[in-house]
Amino acid sequence: MSLIELIAGVEAHEATLTVFNADPAVTDELREHFADRNVRIVDDQTASGPEEFAVLARDGEFVTAVTVDELLSRPGEGETAATGVGVAESDEGGGESRERGGAGDRVGRPVLDHLDETMFTSYSREDMVAASREIEDRAWRVGDGELHAGFQTLDVLTGEADTYDLLGEKERLDVHAYAADEGDAPDVEHYTVHVGETAEIRETWFVAYDGGGYDEAKCALLAEERAPGEFYGFWSYDPETVDYIIDYLTERYGGSEQTDDGGATV
């Protein structure tokens, strides 16, 4: 199963969030919040039972239930929504606040945290960069294992060369970058570049980290650019999904490596 087929497979399993006994304005707010996710929001009323609660189901099976108050909770005053530390500043204490792929606040987190694969449907390049940074930061902090990232083209990879050289300096972190042969290859010192002559490398954006031996640290982001600057895909914390992505990349593109003279072997 190719990367694009994997995206389509996750997309086909749309989740449903049914909001019970709530004001229609609440349902509208949730629809707006989940507008870029593969989650259908419906409302319903019961003759008896608690007020304002929601049930998440996927493929007809119960996933979780949560109160509307919990679902709509946001950070309190002075509390940051999500904190990510840029790779270059990780050990210097220069942390900066940023959202994870446009979902940094807490709205919807009790639902999203129960989905191993969370689909998104219209991420911009800025959203993709923010989500990618979270995975890169995790790999940096654990400092062990394998990190695999796709940049679509060599031109794009060149713009990230310094960041990935820094990641590759981690002694126990094995870093792999993938790109189509468009543009000039960057000078590479501490990571491996795989030049893929396939449409899926040109059309997909991915970052996958194998957790460095810890299943709970495994994570991946995989998306397809279906329109210029618009990405459709998912992020996953499911160990089997992360393993599949890394195994596929290793088997499919592991033999296509940039040589010291800037060429490529296939």
Side-chain angles (χ1 to χ4, degrees):
M1 181 166 39
S2 69
L3 298 178
I4 291 176
E5 288 171 337
L6 183 58
I7 294 169
V10 173
E11 188 175 17
H13 296 287
E14 181 184 57
T16 299
L17 183 69
T18 303
V19 183
F20 291 95
N21 305 331
D23 189 281
V26 171
T27 308
D28 290 341
E29 181 178 355
L30 289 170
R31 284 197 183 102
E32 181 178 353
H33 177 75
F34 286 104
D36 63 348
R37 306 299 175 84
N38 196 37
V39 178
R40 185 167 61 100
I41 311 295
V42 299
D43 53 16
D44 202 351
Q45 299 289 325
T46 60
S48 61
E51 296 294 314
E52 297 194 332
F53 71 101
V55 174
L56 181 69
R58 199 172 197 178
D59 297 332
E61 296 185 2
F62 172 85
V63 176
T64 190
V66 63
T67 67
V68 168
D69 283 345
E70 291 174 308
L71 196 59
L72 294 177
S73 64
R74 296 177 175 84
E77 184 177 353
E79 181 183 355
T80 56
T83 300
V85 178
V87 170
E89 296 86 13
S90 292
D91 289 341
E92 286 76 29
E96 61 182 75
S97 175
R98 66 164 161 253
E99 296 182 355
R100 188 178 91 188
D105 64 24
R106 290 181 179 175
V107 177
R109 287 295 298 274
V111 165
L112 299 177
D113 287 348
H114 282 83
L115 298 177
D116 288 331
E117 284 88 31
T118 299
M119 199 78 194
F120 51 85
T121 58
S122 57
Y123 269 19
S124 67
R125 289 188 179 276
E126 290 76 14
D127 291 329
M128 292 297 297
V129 168
S132 298
R133 290 291 183 248
E134 291 293 332
I135 299 176
E136 294 161 0
D137 288 353
R138 180 176 294 196
W140 171 267
R141 293 178 186 187
V142 176
D144 204 345
E146 296 181 12
L147 177 68
H148 297 253
F151 294 87
Q152 297 188 290
T153 67
L154 290 173
D155 273 343
V156 177
L157 173 58
T158 298
E160 293 289 328
D162 290 344
T163 296
Y164 272 73
D165 254 337
L166 188 61
L167 282 162
E169 286 180 358
K170 286 284 189 178
E171 186 175 343
R172 297 189 306 275
L173 185 62
D174 189 13
V175 179
H176 297 261
Y178 302 77
D181 191 9
E182 297 180 23
D184 296 326
D187 293 329
V188 174
E189 294 185 35
H190 303 295
Y191 62 99
T192 303
V193 175
H194 304 269
V195 181
E197 302 295 339
T198 64
E200 72 175 352
I201 290 296
R202 180 62 181 81
E203 296 168 2
T204 60
W205 179 319
F206 55 86
V207 186
Y209 176 52
D210 75 348
Y214 301 95
D215 276 355
E216 60 271 21
K218 292 181 178 181
C219 50
L221 171 75
L222 173 59
E224 176 187 5
E225 188 174 17
R226 294 183 181 173
E230 293 186 8
F231 293 84
Y232 294 70
F234 66 91
W235 65 73
S236 178
Y237 299 93
D238 175 53
E240 291 185 2
T241 301
V242 176
D243 288 345
Y244 179 87
I245 293 171
I246 292 176
D247 288 346
Y248 174 83
L249 292 169
T250 301
E251 293 173 9
R252 181 70 176 83
Y253 300 105
S256 303
E257 298 182 8
Q258 178 184 317
T259 59
D260 291 337
D261 62 3
T265 61
V266 179

